[in-house]
Amino acid sequence: ALVAAGVPCGPVHTVAGALEDPQIREGGLLAEAETAAGRFRMLRSPIRVDGEWLPVRRSPPALDQDGDAIRASVREST
């Protein structure tokens, strides 16, 4: 309906779908990161400075890495 109405739009992908999208792969928007669980692919920031991609500064947290702090914060706020 949006396309028929002339509204610019595109599909909403899952993370896995976005990582396989040809426009993402060919556009250089995939980065790799290292964690304790191993290497994995992720989407990088689309911003370039002086023609260079912004670096991946940190990986996502490991499973439950911040869980104790989050649970303590919830206990304090209730």
Side-chain angles (χ1 to χ4, degrees):
L2 294 173
V3 172
V7 177
C9 60
V12 176
H13 293 288
T14 63
V15 173
L19 293 175
E20 296 304 321
D21 186 282
Q23 195 169 10
I24 298 296
R25 286 194 322 250
E26 295 166 17
L29 292 170
L30 287 180
E32 288 195 356
E34 183 78 34
T35 69
R39 289 187 78 69
F40 68 96
R41 296 180 307 155
M42 60 187 278
L43 297 172
R44 73 167 69 245
S45 170
I47 299 171
R48 291 186 192 200
V49 176
D50 293 330
E52 298 292 323
W53 295 111
L54 294 177
V56 175
R57 296 188 307 198
R58 61 183 184 188
S59 297
L63 182 63
D64 202 39
Q65 176 178 323
D66 301 315
D68 289 340
I70 293 168
R71 286 184 287 277
S73 174
V74 169
R75 282 192 295 273
E76 291 171 6
S77 67
T78 56

